[in-house]
Amino acid sequence: MKSIYVNIKKAAIIFLAGSFFLISYDGIAQRRVGGGGGVHKAGGTKQARPITKTRPANQTRPGSGNSGIKKPTDKTNTPSTSNLNNNKTNNRNRSNNNIGNRNTNISGNTINRNNNNINIDRSRDINIKNNRNTVVRRNTVVVYNRPPYRYGGYRYNTFHPYYFHPYRPFYYGPVYHPWGFFIATLAVTAIVVSVESNQYHYDQGVWYAPSNGGYTAVPAPVGGTVNNIPSGAETVNTGTVNNYYYGGTYYEKDGSSYKVVAPTAGTVVDNLPEGGEEVTIGDVKYVKFGETYYQPVQVDGKNKYEVALVEEDK
């Protein structure tokens, strides 16, 4: 009985050992097939195993570890947020300064031109030493056939009746400047004219006197002589001789030249330039240049101006 038990035990050990050996051998065989041939036996069928592509040894995946493409780590060349903000602020400041300068320059020039053209300083006319040219010459040939207008102790004599029409300055072009207009430099066409030891500059119908830092347009000095006057000069009859009128200035032919003369009472002109002052004397409105009074009149249905003779009513 004992011998049977021993034999059964040995048989069981041998069976277990054989089973273990078969299992181990089958696992080894499967590992060999999968590693070398790419064929795997499963349930008696053959299945192709996907072939894994291997990467060359000298090529690495970007961004893996310390290899491949790297982001720059040198912070010295990368502007910081504060630097960017400072740069933007500086750029805006420079831009604003440039725009401000352009606007200042432009608006400054425009303001100066407007002030010179409109806000004329009439006080400078009084200080000019050639005020005698604003004194009207009496017409000794023609006798006034109508009574003068009396007001405030003065007589205002004219040949034509008063006919009111608003004072609208005539535009003589961009080269004409009214009395009191200041200019820093003169055109190359300007010439120097000496009158009683005083120097004037004449350019295209406008007379200038040296002023602080430039030149100021002034009433034309009586006696000033020039070789040419503007082509737009108007021929007017004083009753005795023809005058040439341009921009408030009267000239008489003197040989081959033209001499500045004072206006003659009774002279009628079509237009008055910029720079006159419309004044009301009693019931009559005159346009005044210096000490010369122009009365609005109408001749042959056209609005004109007549030089009035103003005398003290004694």
Side-chain angles (χ1 to χ4, degrees):
M1 186 65 160
K2 186 179 180 179
S3 60
I4 294 173
Y5 176 77
V6 171
N7 290 332
I8 292 172
K9 187 178 181 179
K10 288 182 179 180
I13 291 171
I14 292 172
F15 175 78
L16 292 174
S19 299
F20 178 77
F21 176 79
L22 291 175
I23 293 171
S24 299
Y25 178 79
D26 183 67
I28 293 172
Q30 288 181 6
R31 283 196 297 272
R32 286 182 179 178
V33 171
V39 178
H40 175 67
K41 293 182 179 180
T45 61
K46 295 182 180 180
Q47 181 178 357
R49 183 179 179 183
I51 300 174
T52 303
K53 295 183 180 180
T54 59
R55 186 180 294 108
N58 60 349
Q59 181 177 350
T60 58
R61 181 168 54 87
S64 62
N66 295 326
S67 61
I69 301 174
K70 299 181 180 180
K71 296 182 180 180
T73 58
D74 187 1
K75 296 183 179 181
T76 58
N77 294 329
T78 304
S80 64
T81 304
S82 59
N83 289 337
L84 288 174
N85 293 333
N86 292 335
N87 290 337
K88 291 180 180 179
T89 303
N90 293 335
N91 290 335
R92 282 197 299 269
N93 292 336
R94 285 195 295 269
S95 176
N96 291 335
N97 290 336
N98 292 335
I99 295 174
N101 290 337
R102 289 196 298 269
N103 291 339
T104 301
N105 293 338
I106 294 173
S107 62
N109 292 336
T110 303
I111 291 172
N112 288 339
R113 287 196 297 269
N114 290 337
N115 287 341
N116 287 332
N117 290 336
I118 298 174
N119 299 325
I120 299 171
D121 186 0
R122 307 301 302 179
S123 63
R124 282 185 285 186
D125 297 343
I126 300 174
N127 296 327
I128 296 169
K129 295 181 180 179
N130 61 345
N131 281 336
R132 63 189 181 281
N133 72 327
T134 64
V135 178
V136 174
R137 296 187 296 178
R138 184 183 181 93
N139 195 325
T140 58
V141 177
V142 181
V143 179
Y144 290 100
N145 56 6
R146 54 189 307 274
Y149 176 73
R150 286 181 164 87
Y151 186 85
Y154 290 90
R155 300 191 306 268
Y156 298 83
N157 294 279
T158 56
F159 293 104
H160 298 84
Y162 171 68
Y163 183 87
F164 173 75
H165 52 83
Y167 164 52
R168 293 187 176 89
F170 181 76
Y171 180 67
Y172 282 90
V175 297
Y176 177 81
H177 297 139
W179 298 353
F181 186 93
F182 176 83
I183 188 170
T185 58
L186 294 175
V188 294
T189 53
I191 62 173
V192 177
V193 181
S194 296
V195 181
E196 296 183 359
S197 302
N198 294 319
Q199 261 196 359
Y200 299 89
H201 298 262
Y202 173 83
D203 183 37
Q204 303 184 65
V206 184
W207 293 78
Y208 301 90
S211 184
N212 185 19
Y215 306 87
T216 301
V218 297
V222 171
T225 303
V226 294
N227 293 329
N228 298 289
I229 58 176
S231 59
E234 174 187 356
T235 301
V236 293
N237 194 324
T238 65
T240 56
V241 66
N242 285 339
N243 280 178
Y244 301 91
Y245 170 81
Y246 181 85
T249 302
Y250 296 84
Y251 300 88
E252 282 184 6
K253 199 78 168 68
D254 184 19
S256 59
S257 303
Y258 297 87
K259 182 186 292 186
V260 176
V261 295
T264 302
T267 303
V268 177
V269 296
D270 291 336
N271 301 292
L272 294 177
E274 182 184 1
E277 177 187 3
E278 194 174 52
V279 296
T280 301
I281 299 176
D283 297 327
V284 179
K285 284 189 176 182
Y286 296 90
V287 181
K288 185 181 178 183
F289 284 85
E291 295 304 320
T292 302
Y293 289 81
Y294 288 87
Q295 177 180 291
V297 296
Q298 191 175 73
V299 180
D300 298 330
K302 296 181 179 179
N303 294 336
K304 297 179 182 288
Y305 298 92
E306 179 181 338
V307 178
L309 177 64
V310 182
E311 297 177 314
E312 189 175 356
D313 194 5
K314 296 180 181 180

